[in-house]
Amino acid sequence: MIRLQTPPLAGLFALQLLLAISLAAQAPVTRGLLPVPRSVEWRQGQLPLDTTFRIALARSDPRLNAAAGRFIERLVRRTGVPLSHLVGHDPASATLLIDARRTGTAVPALEEDESYTLDVSTSGVALHSATTVGSLRGLETLLQLYESSERGWSLPAVHIEDAPRFRWRGLLLDVGRHFEPVDVIKRNLDGMALVKLNVFHWHLSDDQGFRVESRRYPRLTRLGSDGQFYTQAQIRDVVAYARDRGIRVLPEFDMPGHATTWFVGYPQYASLRGKYSIQRKFGVHSAVFDPTSEAVYRFLDGFIAEMAPLFPDSYWHIGGDEVEDWQWNSSSHIRAFRRRRRLPDNRSLQAYFNSRLAVILRRHGKQMVGWDETLHPDLPRGTVVQSWRGPGFLIDAVHQGHPALLSAGYYLDHIDLAEDHYRADPLASDSGLTAEQRNLVLGGEACMWSEHVGPETVDSRIWPRLTAVAERLWSPRSVTDVDDFYRRMAITGVALEQAGLTQASALYSMARRIAAPTDVPVVGSLLELVQPVTFGQRVRLQHTTQLTPLVRMVDAARPDPPARRVWHDVAVRVAADHTSAGLAADSLRIAFQQWQLFAPAIEAAAARSPMVDDGVLAARTLGQLGHLGDDALTRLLKGDKPDSVWVAAARTQLEMARQPQGLLRLVVVDAVQVVVDAVSGRPVS
């Protein structure tokens, strides 16, 4: 059996460490802070952490008391220092004094003040905030400040003044297409709190599943959920868990489209009567509510009346996207209704439905939120429009006087890079909005649609890329350094794992199931060098449905693995000054040579475990890349400029390597491209 001479993963971690050290020296202002605070003033001195550390609250506050307890527990796990878990009320004896002037609203609200100031001196820490939620945000910042040295753990002296740039900073998690258990929800809420996100958008119904227990309409889950749904007690538990972390819970029940599972149990409310069943295929389906039926509005009124107490947030998402209007066009009574009402088209018919729904929601104390397809001159004032089809829809919404959210550019399921999400901004510099219109831009939400994720893989699709969105929505507009962000994202990724998320560990747990025990190292190492194909590519190549097992190498691979930037940065260093590249050139040569060994090793592993066959094409192409990179590096170090035939062949090979390799994409093509460009005399990027 062919074995790799040096484990690529070990080499990768070593290079990551070297890069982290060198970049840290270049970015002392931000250190490990993510998101970057509004204002940071580093001062002289340190505050050591030892067993005398104590926390005191200036005022009694059960939510803050619980948060202080979680803070201590996380600090103990991180440092190994035995600390007292008692939270006192005597400022004189406290190392850390937490002073929140108000407890804030009983239900987390859009208007809640999240600002705080944090002062660390050689004698103690003072955290001041207007509300409890501000102190929650400050505690997360404080945990990011702890540093280790040969003398132990300590805090650097610093003065921080911080507040979010946007009031609405969210994550949408779709549990309709694939169900996510409560423990998955909670660990992602912990991750959200860690990076100061404040809205959990819970997409609870779709054509593939209805996920909330209704006692008034029990057939919704009895027939529309495959037995996978949240009880009302679980909903209350999650909402309380989120509140303790300063996070609002926004429910979404999609209507009038994406509504098949409403009609599995209650077909009388569909535009066309008939028998409905849970959809296993993804996409846009024809089942849609009948907007002309008064019985529909009575049904929805009853449903919302039951659900509203479970979801105390003042906002309620109706969906409203991708309405397939075939049923409307096929119904004679709906066509007649349109003529009577003088509704010119089905967009106006949907606007009529939305206006009726808005009245119901207001009666139950809710403000409506909808996707950008709901935008219409007749859309009720105050409806929040969530833009997913492009930032232009956000601009249109605020021009029409509606509050707006950006999700375009934040679709995590598309398998974009973290830097792509980082560059998307709800308030682009060229938006042309007035000050009043800019104030209507509430913020944004990242979206994790679940066609291709389940409980085992969802963390790796959300994290750590979600940190890019979190920083964009919290930090000042001027914080745009992509290299520094990636450095800090790696640090935050470790903290996320310590908080219970599985975005890194899932890769190897899945590799152990995919491969025979002796092959796990090589399969895991290959997975560090690839990413999944994009959402659209996977749909076309695999024809996924709700029944597709999410257990293959494409599921184990991460969207933006560290190897991509590590090897690219090493290659850039070599290309910039190959005469004195030293360690970087040696590391790159070893990597290129190791890549050439993958194909026979993966082929042998595939003979022992059929699922490894998914990696054979990627391994073969990786070997060819390694050969090309080794040849180009040798020529570069010798000063041997290749002829035009070699250059043309190399470019063709690189272009082919960028294409999907089965369901995987290689992430190290850019590193080879840099060396090829350098030896060819082309500009290096």
Side-chain angles (χ1 to χ4, degrees), residues 612-630:
V612 180
D613 193 59
D614 288 347
V616 169
L617 184 56
R620 290 172 179 168
T621 305
L622 180 62
Q624 296 164 6
L625 271 180
H627 180 76
L628 174 61
D630 196 16

Side-chain angles (χ1 to χ4, degrees), residues 286-323:
S286 60
V288 61
F289 275 99
D290 182 351
T292 72
S293 169
E294 290 302 316
V296 164
Y297 299 110
R298 289 193 295 270
F299 168 70
L300 292 175
D301 187 29
F303 176 78
I304 292 169
E306 181 185 16
M307 293 292 114
L310 295 176
F311 299 100
D313 195 81
S314 58
Y315 290 84
W316 181 289
H317 207 298
I318 65 161
D321 59 314
E322 297 181 321
V323 177

Side-chain angles (χ1 to χ4, degrees), residues 182-256:
V182 168
D183 66 318
V184 175
I185 303 298
K186 286 185 173 181
R187 72 188 185 220
N188 277 279
L189 287 168
D190 286 335
M192 291 175 63
L194 194 148
V195 294
K196 302 181 176 66
L197 292 169
N198 68 348
V199 178
F200 176 56
H201 179 163
W202 212 350
H203 183 83
L204 290 160
S205 73
D206 217 294
D207 296 301
Q208 292 75 30
F210 198 98
R211 304 303 186 190
V212 178
E213 173 194 22
S214 172
R215 296 169 184 169
R216 187 166 187 169
Y217 303 108
R219 294 200 298 273
L220 286 172
T221 47
R222 192 170 77 232
L223 300 179
S225 72
D226 291 317
Q228 294 184 311
F229 63 92
Y230 307 101
T231 67
Q232 294 194 5
Q234 287 175 320
I235 293 291
R236 292 189 184 93
D237 179 42
V238 169
V239 170
Y241 193 91
R243 178 186 180 272
D244 280 350
R245 288 149 183 80
I247 296 173
R248 298 166 43 212
V249 177
L250 173 72
E252 179 183 352
F253 295 96
D254 218 333
M255 59 185 85

